[in-house]
mmCIF file of all heavy atoms in Angstrom:
data_model
loop_
_atom_site.group_PDB
_atom_site.id
_atom_site.type_symbol
_atom_site.label_atom_id
_atom_site.label_comp_id
_atom_site.label_asym_id
_atom_site.label_seq_id
_atom_site.Cartn_x
_atom_site.Cartn_y
_atom_site.Cartn_z
ATOM 1 N N MET A 264 2.292 -9.390 27.553
ATOM 2 C CA MET A 264 3.286 -8.354 27.260
ATOM 3 C C MET A 264 4.697 -8.921 27.332
ATOM 4 O O MET A 264 5.556 -8.584 26.488
ATOM 5 C CB MET A 264 3.122 -7.187 28.236
ATOM 6 C CG MET A 264 1.825 -6.405 28.082
ATOM 7 S SD MET A 264 1.782 -5.370 26.602
ATOM 8 C CE MET A 264 2.838 -4.020 27.108
ATOM 9 N N ARG A 265 4.946 -9.784 28.301
ATOM 10 C CA ARG A 265 6.284 -10.395 28.397
ATOM 11 C C ARG A 265 6.525 -11.354 27.239
ATOM 12 O O ARG A 265 7.626 -11.377 26.664
ATOM 13 C CB ARG A 265 6.425 -11.128 29.746
ATOM 14 C CG ARG A 265 6.552 -10.189 30.946
ATOM 15 C CD ARG A 265 6.980 -10.950 32.189
ATOM 16 N NE ARG A 265 5.950 -11.880 32.635
ATOM 17 C CZ ARG A 265 5.002 -11.579 33.512
ATOM 18 N NH1 ARG A 265 4.937 -10.361 34.046
ATOM 19 N NH2 ARG A 265 4.109 -12.483 33.878
ATOM 20 N N GLU A 266 5.515 -12.132 26.882
ATOM 21 C CA GLU A 266 5.679 -13.085 25.784
ATOM 22 C C GLU A 266 5.981 -12.378 24.467
ATOM 23 O O GLU A 266 6.786 -12.856 23.664
ATOM 24 C CB GLU A 266 4.407 -13.931 25.642
ATOM 25 C CG GLU A 266 4.197 -14.927 26.781
ATOM 26 C CD GLU A 266 2.830 -15.591 26.718
ATOM 27 O OE1 GLU A 266 2.000 -15.161 25.878
ATOM 28 O OE2 GLU A 266 2.587 -16.528 27.509
ATOM 29 N N ARG A 267 5.350 -11.232 24.246
ATOM 30 C CA ARG A 267 5.558 -10.491 23.003
ATOM 31 C C ARG A 267 6.741 -9.524 23.079
ATOM 32 O O ARG A 267 7.022 -8.804 22.129
ATOM 33 C CB ARG A 267 4.282 -9.724 22.639
ATOM 34 C CG ARG A 267 3.112 -10.645 22.348
ATOM 35 C CD ARG A 267 1.889 -9.849 21.918
ATOM 36 N NE ARG A 267 0.749 -10.732 21.691
ATOM 37 C CZ ARG A 267 -0.462 -10.306 21.387
ATOM 38 N NH1 ARG A 267 -0.697 -9.011 21.265
ATOM 39 N NH2 ARG A 267 -1.452 -11.163 21.197
ATOM 40 N N LYS A 268 7.399 -9.517 24.251
ATOM 41 C CA LYS A 268 8.570 -8.653 24.467
ATOM 42 C C LYS A 268 8.197 -7.182 24.286
ATOM 43 O O LYS A 268 8.933 -6.403 23.687
ATOM 44 C CB LYS A 268 9.723 -9.062 23.555
ATOM 45 C CG LYS A 268 10.151 -10.511 23.734
ATOM 46 C CD LYS A 268 11.386 -10.851 22.920
ATOM 47 C CE LYS A 268 11.694 -12.353 22.989
ATOM 48 N NZ LYS A 268 11.907 -12.816 24.366
ATOM 49 N N TRP A 269 7.056 -6.805 24.839
ATOM 50 C CA TRP A 269 6.582 -5.434 24.798
ATOM 51 C C TRP A 269 6.796 -4.727 26.129
ATOM 52 O O TRP A 269 6.252 -3.645 26.355
ATOM 53 C CB TRP A 269 5.097 -5.393 24.427
ATOM 54 C CG TRP A 269 4.850 -5.644 22.968
ATOM 55 C CD1 TRP A 269 5.776 -5.684 21.963
ATOM 56 C CD2 TRP A 269 3.589 -5.873 22.335
ATOM 57 N NE1 TRP A 269 5.177 -5.927 20.756
ATOM 58 C CE2 TRP A 269 3.822 -6.047 20.952
ATOM 59 C CE3 TRP A 269 2.268 -5.942 22.798
ATOM 60 C CZ2 TRP A 269 2.801 -6.291 20.037
ATOM 61 C CZ3 TRP A 269 1.262 -6.182 21.894
ATOM 62 C CH2 TRP A 269 1.513 -6.355 20.522
ATOM 63 N N VAL A 270 7.585 -5.316 27.013
ATOM 64 C CA VAL A 270 7.905 -4.687 28.282
ATOM 65 C C VAL A 270 9.357 -5.040 28.615
ATOM 66 O O VAL A 270 9.825 -6.145 28.318
ATOM 67 C CB VAL A 270 6.945 -5.166 29.398
ATOM 68 C CG1 VAL A 270 7.011 -6.668 29.608
ATOM 69 C CG2 VAL A 270 7.211 -4.423 30.711
ATOM 70 N N TRP A 271 10.086 -4.063 29.185
ATOM 71 C CA TRP A 271 11.486 -4.266 29.554
ATOM 72 C C TRP A 271 11.576 -4.222 31.076
ATOM 73 O O TRP A 271 11.390 -3.169 31.693
ATOM 74 C CB TRP A 271 12.361 -3.187 28.930
ATOM 75 C CG TRP A 271 13.825 -3.332 29.258
ATOM 76 C CD1 TRP A 271 14.526 -2.656 30.214
ATOM 77 C CD2 TRP A 271 14.758 -4.224 28.641
ATOM 78 N NE1 TRP A 271 15.834 -3.060 30.227
ATOM 79 C CE2 TRP A 271 16.013 -4.021 29.266
ATOM 80 C CE3 TRP A 271 14.653 -5.160 27.606
ATOM 81 C CZ2 TRP A 271 17.149 -4.725 28.890
ATOM 82 C CZ3 TRP A 271 15.789 -5.856 27.242
ATOM 83 C CH2 TRP A 271 17.012 -5.648 27.873
ATOM 84 N N LEU A 272 11.832 -5.376 31.694
ATOM 85 C CA LEU A 272 11.823 -5.494 33.145
ATOM 86 C C LEU A 272 13.232 -5.685 33.697
ATOM 87 O O LEU A 272 13.526 -6.628 34.431
ATOM 88 C CB LEU A 272 10.902 -6.644 33.564
ATOM 89 C CG LEU A 272 9.420 -6.445 33.226
ATOM 90 C CD1 LEU A 272 8.606 -7.683 33.594
ATOM 91 C CD2 LEU A 272 8.867 -5.202 33.932
ATOM 92 N N ARG A 273 14.131 -4.760 33.313
ATOM 93 C CA ARG A 273 15.494 -4.703 33.862
ATOM 94 C C ARG A 273 15.756 -3.244 34.246
ATOM 95 O O ARG A 273 15.360 -2.329 33.536
ATOM 96 C CB ARG A 273 16.536 -5.141 32.828
ATOM 97 C CG ARG A 273 16.243 -6.436 32.115
ATOM 98 C CD ARG A 273 16.401 -7.649 32.984
ATOM 99 N NE ARG A 273 17.764 -7.868 33.442
ATOM 100 C CZ ARG A 273 18.147 -8.934 34.143
ATOM 101 N NH1 ARG A 273 17.245 -9.877 34.449
ATOM 102 N NH2 ARG A 273 19.385 -9.066 34.540
ATOM 103 N N ASP A 274 16.426 -3.026 35.377
ATOM 104 C CA ASP A 274 16.686 -1.658 35.787
ATOM 105 C C ASP A 274 17.957 -1.119 35.147
ATOM 106 O O ASP A 274 18.563 -1.776 34.291
ATOM 107 C CB ASP A 274 16.714 -1.542 37.316
ATOM 108 C CG ASP A 274 17.946 -2.194 37.947
ATOM 109 O OD1 ASP A 274 18.872 -2.631 37.204
ATOM 110 O OD2 ASP A 274 18.002 -2.275 39.187
ATOM 111 N N GLU A 275 18.379 0.068 35.563
ATOM 112 C CA GLU A 275 19.531 0.720 34.943
ATOM 113 C C GLU A 275 20.845 0.008 35.220
ATOM 114 O O GLU A 275 21.864 0.291 34.584
ATOM 115 C CB GLU A 275 19.613 2.179 35.404
ATOM 116 C CG GLU A 275 20.098 2.400 36.816
ATOM 117 C CD GLU A 275 19.013 2.205 37.872
ATOM 118 O OE1 GLU A 275 17.937 1.658 37.544
ATOM 119 O OE2 GLU A 275 19.252 2.599 39.026
ATOM 120 N N ASN A 276 20.823 -0.934 36.162
ATOM 121 C CA ASN A 276 22.009 -1.754 36.454
ATOM 122 C C ASN A 276 21.837 -3.188 35.970
ATOM 123 O O ASN A 276 22.566 -4.077 36.387
ATOM 124 C CB ASN A 276 22.300 -1.732 37.956
ATOM 125 C CG ASN A 276 22.657 -0.341 38.446
ATOM 126 O OD1 ASN A 276 23.535 0.316 37.885
ATOM 127 N ND2 ASN A 276 21.970 0.126 39.480
ATOM 128 N N ASP A 277 20.851 -3.396 35.103
ATOM 129 C CA ASP A 277 20.563 -4.696 34.504
ATOM 130 C C ASP A 277 20.070 -5.727 35.522
ATOM 131 O O ASP A 277 20.249 -6.920 35.353
ATOM 132 C CB ASP A 277 21.784 -5.243 33.754
ATOM 133 C CG ASP A 277 21.402 -6.340 32.753
ATOM 134 O OD1 ASP A 277 20.304 -6.233 32.161
ATOM 135 O OD2 ASP A 277 22.186 -7.296 32.568
ATOM 136 N N ARG A 278 19.424 -5.241 36.567
ATOM 137 C CA ARG A 278 18.817 -6.146 37.542
ATOM 138 C C ARG A 278 17.326 -6.275 37.261
ATOM 139 O O ARG A 278 16.689 -5.311 36.842
ATOM 140 C CB ARG A 278 19.028 -5.609 38.965
ATOM 141 C CG ARG A 278 20.491 -5.520 39.376
ATOM 142 C CD ARG A 278 20.652 -4.821 40.701
ATOM 143 N NE ARG A 278 20.109 -3.469 40.684
ATOM 144 C CZ ARG A 278 20.481 -2.503 41.530
ATOM 145 N NH1 ARG A 278 21.389 -2.749 42.458
ATOM 146 N NH2 ARG A 278 19.938 -1.296 41.457
ATOM 147 N N PRO A 279 16.740 -7.455 37.491
ATOM 148 C CA PRO A 279 15.316 -7.646 37.189
ATOM 149 C C PRO A 279 14.437 -6.834 38.124
ATOM 150 O O PRO A 279 14.758 -6.603 39.287
ATOM 151 C CB PRO A 279 15.110 -9.155 37.398
ATOM 152 C CG PRO A 279 16.213 -9.568 38.322
ATOM 153 C CD PRO A 279 17.382 -8.691 37.990
ATOM 154 N N ILE A 280 13.298 -6.381 37.586
ATOM 155 C CA ILE A 280 12.293 -5.680 38.382
ATOM 156 C C ILE A 280 10.943 -6.329 38.113
ATOM 157 O O ILE A 280 10.806 -7.183 37.225
ATOM 158 C CB ILE A 280 12.224 -4.178 38.031
ATOM 159 C CG1 ILE A 280 11.711 -3.993 36.584
ATOM 160 C CG2 ILE A 280 13.570 -3.502 38.221
ATOM 161 C CD1 ILE A 280 11.284 -2.571 36.270
ATOM 162 N N THR A 281 9.946 -5.911 38.860
ATOM 163 C CA THR A 281 8.584 -6.389 38.646
ATOM 164 C C THR A 281 7.781 -5.315 37.907
ATOM 165 O O THR A 281 8.199 -4.154 37.818
ATOM 166 C CB THR A 281 7.887 -6.692 39.981
ATOM 167 O OG1 THR A 281 7.709 -5.463 40.707
ATOM 168 C CG2 THR A 281 8.725 -7.662 40.814
ATOM 169 N N THR A 282 6.630 -5.687 37.408
ATOM 170 C CA THR A 282 5.792 -4.711 36.711
ATOM 171 C C THR A 282 5.312 -3.607 37.652
ATOM 172 O O THR A 282 5.036 -2.490 37.214
ATOM 173 C CB THR A 282 4.578 -5.400 36.064
ATOM 174 O OG1 THR A 282 3.834 -6.116 37.062
ATOM 175 C CG2 THR A 282 5.033 -6.383 34.989
ATOM 176 N N ASP A 283 5.217 -3.893 38.960
ATOM 177 C CA ASP A 283 4.803 -2.881 39.927
ATOM 178 C C ASP A 283 5.843 -1.772 40.071
ATOM 179 O O ASP A 283 5.535 -0.692 40.582
ATOM 180 C CB ASP A 283 4.554 -3.516 41.298
ATOM 181 C CG ASP A 283 3.310 -4.378 41.326
ATOM 182 O OD1 ASP A 283 2.431 -4.166 40.464
ATOM 183 O OD2 ASP A 283 3.222 -5.275 42.191
ATOM 184 N N GLN A 284 7.065 -2.040 39.638
ATOM 185 C CA GLN A 284 8.136 -1.055 39.758
ATOM 186 C C GLN A 284 8.281 -0.183 38.514
ATOM 187 O O GLN A 284 9.166 0.671 38.467
ATOM 188 C CB GLN A 284 9.465 -1.759 40.056
ATOM 189 C CG GLN A 284 9.507 -2.415 41.427
ATOM 190 C CD GLN A 284 10.762 -3.236 41.626
ATOM 191 O OE1 GLN A 284 10.862 -4.383 41.190
ATOM 192 N NE2 GLN A 284 11.741 -2.644 42.276
ATOM 193 N N LEU A 285 7.418 -0.381 37.530
ATOM 194 C CA LEU A 285 7.448 0.483 36.355
ATOM 195 C C LEU A 285 6.898 1.861 36.699
ATOM 196 O O LEU A 285 6.020 1.977 37.554
ATOM 197 C CB LEU A 285 6.612 -0.132 35.226
ATOM 198 C CG LEU A 285 7.166 -1.393 34.563
ATOM 199 C CD1 LEU A 285 6.111 -2.010 33.640
ATOM 200 C CD2 LEU A 285 8.438 -1.082 33.779
ATOM 201 N N PRO A 286 7.387 2.913 36.045
ATOM 202 C CA PRO A 286 6.825 4.248 36.281
ATOM 203 C C PRO A 286 5.348 4.284 35.892
ATOM 204 O O PRO A 286 4.904 3.535 35.022
ATOM 205 C CB PRO A 286 7.657 5.149 35.368
ATOM 206 C CG PRO A 286 8.887 4.367 35.047
ATOM 207 C CD PRO A 286 8.485 2.933 35.060
ATOM 208 N N ARG A 287 4.605 5.167 36.520
ATOM 209 C CA ARG A 287 3.174 5.314 36.222
ATOM 210 C C ARG A 287 2.939 6.304 35.094
ATOM 211 O O ARG A 287 1.896 6.267 34.453
ATOM 212 C CB ARG A 287 2.438 5.787 37.479
ATOM 213 C CG ARG A 287 2.611 4.892 38.691
ATOM 214 C CD ARG A 287 1.913 3.566 38.529
ATOM 215 N NE ARG A 287 2.030 2.756 39.745
ATOM 216 C CZ ARG A 287 1.461 1.576 39.899
ATOM 217 N NH1 ARG A 287 0.725 1.078 38.926
ATOM 218 N NH2 ARG A 287 1.629 0.895 41.014
ATOM 219 N N ARG A 288 3.876 7.214 34.883
ATOM 220 C CA ARG A 288 3.727 8.237 33.863
ATOM 221 C C ARG A 288 5.093 8.552 33.262
ATOM 222 O O ARG A 288 6.123 8.138 33.785
ATOM 223 C CB ARG A 288 3.119 9.529 34.459
ATOM 224 C CG ARG A 288 1.686 9.397 34.955
ATOM 225 C CD ARG A 288 0.698 9.242 33.813
ATOM 226 N NE ARG A 288 -0.687 9.241 34.291
ATOM 227 C CZ ARG A 288 -1.351 8.167 34.669
ATOM 228 N NH1 ARG A 288 -0.742 6.982 34.638
ATOM 229 N NH2 ARG A 288 -2.603 8.254 35.064
ATOM 230 N N LEU A 289 5.092 9.310 32.167
ATOM 231 C CA LEU A 289 6.327 9.765 31.554
ATOM 232 C C LEU A 289 6.913 10.935 32.354
ATOM 233 O O LEU A 289 6.224 11.570 33.137
ATOM 234 C CB LEU A 289 6.078 10.231 30.114
ATOM 235 C CG LEU A 289 5.602 9.182 29.105
ATOM 236 C CD1 LEU A 289 5.300 9.850 27.768
ATOM 237 C CD2 LEU A 289 6.640 8.082 28.927
ATOM 238 N N GLY A 290 8.196 11.222 32.138
ATOM 239 C CA GLY A 290 8.862 12.344 32.792
ATOM 240 C C GLY A 290 10.220 11.930 33.308
ATOM 241 O O GLY A 290 10.392 10.808 33.820
ATOM 242 N N LEU A 291 11.209 12.807 33.171
ATOM 243 C CA LEU A 291 12.565 12.461 33.596
ATOM 244 C C LEU A 291 12.629 12.064 35.066
ATOM 245 O O LEU A 291 13.357 11.142 35.435
ATOM 246 C CB LEU A 291 13.513 13.641 33.333
ATOM 247 C CG LEU A 291 13.989 13.810 31.891
ATOM 248 C CD1 LEU A 291 14.781 15.102 31.747
ATOM 249 C CD2 LEU A 291 14.841 12.612 31.457
ATOM 250 N N ALA A 292 11.888 12.750 35.924
ATOM 251 C CA ALA A 292 11.932 12.453 37.353
ATOM 252 C C ALA A 292 11.302 11.103 37.684
ATOM 253 O O ALA A 292 11.444 10.611 38.798
ATOM 254 C CB ALA A 292 11.242 13.561 38.147
ATOM 255 N N ARG A 293 10.620 10.496 36.736
ATOM 256 C CA ARG A 293 9.970 9.199 36.968
ATOM 257 C C ARG A 293 10.819 8.029 36.487
ATOM 258 O O ARG A 293 10.513 6.873 36.791
ATOM 259 C CB ARG A 293 8.604 9.175 36.274
ATOM 260 C CG ARG A 293 7.694 10.337 36.659
ATOM 261 C CD ARG A 293 6.433 10.340 35.807
ATOM 262 N NE ARG A 293 5.705 11.595 35.925
ATOM 263 C CZ ARG A 293 4.803 11.857 36.863
ATOM 264 N NH1 ARG A 293 4.530 10.957 37.770
ATOM 265 N NH2 ARG A 293 4.193 13.023 36.882
ATOM 266 N N PHE A 294 11.856 8.326 35.706
ATOM 267 C CA PHE A 294 12.726 7.276 35.166
ATOM 268 C C PHE A 294 14.071 7.250 35.873
ATOM 269 O O PHE A 294 14.530 8.254 36.429
ATOM 270 C CB PHE A 294 12.985 7.517 33.673
ATOM 271 C CG PHE A 294 11.829 7.234 32.765
ATOM 272 C CD1 PHE A 294 11.168 8.272 32.128
ATOM 273 C CD2 PHE A 294 11.415 5.927 32.524
ATOM 274 C CE1 PHE A 294 10.108 8.020 31.261
ATOM 275 C CE2 PHE A 294 10.355 5.660 31.671
ATOM 276 C CZ PHE A 294 9.694 6.702 31.044
ATOM 277 N N HIS A 295 14.724 6.092 35.795
ATOM 278 C CA HIS A 295 16.134 5.987 36.146
ATOM 279 C C HIS A 295 16.950 6.240 34.879
ATOM 280 O O HIS A 295 16.462 6.076 33.759
ATOM 281 C CB HIS A 295 16.452 4.596 36.703
ATOM 282 C CG HIS A 295 15.850 4.325 38.046
ATOM 283 N ND1 HIS A 295 16.490 4.649 39.226
ATOM 284 C CD2 HIS A 295 14.665 3.771 38.403
ATOM 285 C CE1 HIS A 295 15.733 4.296 40.246
ATOM 286 N NE2 HIS A 295 14.609 3.758 39.784
ATOM 287 N N ASP A 296 18.204 6.640 35.081
ATOM 288 C CA ASP A 296 19.098 6.919 33.963
ATOM 289 C C ASP A 296 19.975 5.700 33.692
ATOM 290 O O ASP A 296 20.805 5.316 34.519
ATOM 291 C CB ASP A 296 19.975 8.132 34.288
ATOM 292 C CG ASP A 296 20.905 8.498 33.140
ATOM 293 O OD1 ASP A 296 20.691 8.019 32.011
ATOM 294 O OD2 ASP A 296 21.858 9.286 33.381
ATOM 295 N N ASP A 297 19.791 5.079 32.535
ATOM 296 C CA ASP A 297 20.618 3.954 32.112
ATOM 297 C C ASP A 297 21.728 4.518 31.225
ATOM 298 O O ASP A 297 21.504 4.833 30.054
ATOM 299 C CB ASP A 297 19.781 2.928 31.344
ATOM 300 C CG ASP A 297 20.543 1.647 31.025
ATOM 301 O OD1 ASP A 297 21.773 1.717 30.862
ATOM 302 O OD2 ASP A 297 19.903 0.584 30.921
ATOM 303 N N ARG A 298 22.929 4.646 31.772
ATOM 304 C CA ARG A 298 24.017 5.280 31.042
ATOM 305 C C ARG A 298 24.430 4.458 29.819
ATOM 306 O O ARG A 298 24.881 5.026 28.807
ATOM 307 C CB ARG A 298 25.239 5.488 31.960
ATOM 308 C CG ARG A 298 24.953 6.300 33.213
ATOM 309 C CD ARG A 298 24.293 7.639 32.931
ATOM 310 N NE ARG A 298 25.113 8.553 32.186
ATOM 311 C CZ ARG A 298 25.965 9.431 32.734
ATOM 312 N NH1 ARG A 298 26.102 9.483 34.055
ATOM 313 N NH2 ARG A 298 26.647 10.269 31.982
ATOM 314 N N TYR A 299 24.287 3.142 29.881
ATOM 315 C CA TYR A 299 24.640 2.322 28.718
ATOM 316 C C TYR A 299 23.605 2.479 27.612
ATOM 317 O O TYR A 299 23.959 2.461 26.426
ATOM 318 C CB TYR A 299 24.803 0.856 29.129
ATOM 319 C CG TYR A 299 26.123 0.595 29.802
ATOM 320 C CD1 TYR A 299 26.255 0.682 31.185
ATOM 321 C CD2 TYR A 299 27.258 0.282 29.053
ATOM 322 C CE1 TYR A 299 27.472 0.467 31.808
ATOM 323 C CE2 TYR A 299 28.481 0.052 29.668
ATOM 324 C CZ TYR A 299 28.580 0.151 31.054
ATOM 325 O OH TYR A 299 29.800 -0.057 31.665
ATOM 326 N N ARG A 300 22.345 2.647 27.975
ATOM 327 C CA ARG A 300 21.328 2.909 26.948
ATOM 328 C C ARG A 300 21.607 4.248 26.268
ATOM 329 O O ARG A 300 21.460 4.382 25.048
ATOM 330 C CB ARG A 300 19.944 2.886 27.595
ATOM 331 C CG ARG A 300 18.810 3.341 26.691
ATOM 332 C CD ARG A 300 18.660 2.461 25.458
ATOM 333 N NE ARG A 300 17.584 2.946 24.601
ATOM 334 C CZ ARG A 300 17.680 3.984 23.765
ATOM 335 N NH1 ARG A 300 18.827 4.634 23.652
ATOM 336 N NH2 ARG A 300 16.659 4.342 23.029
#
Side-chain angles (χ1 to χ4, degrees):
M264 293 287 284
R265 288 192 293 269
E266 289 171 352
R267 296 183 182 176
K268 302 186 187 301
W269 284 349
V270 60
W271 180 261
L272 295 176
R273 311 288 296 185
D274 71 7
E275 74 279 13
N276 296 308
D277 199 35
R278 297 172 301 202
I280 66 166
T281 66
T282 56
D283 289 338
Q284 293 173 278
L285 290 170
R287 303 291 183 177
R288 294 289 185 271
L289 296 175
L291 281 173
R293 306 173 194 273
F294 287 110
H295 291 272
D296 182 15
D297 187 330
R298 303 307 295 271
Y299 282 91
R300 172 61 181 78

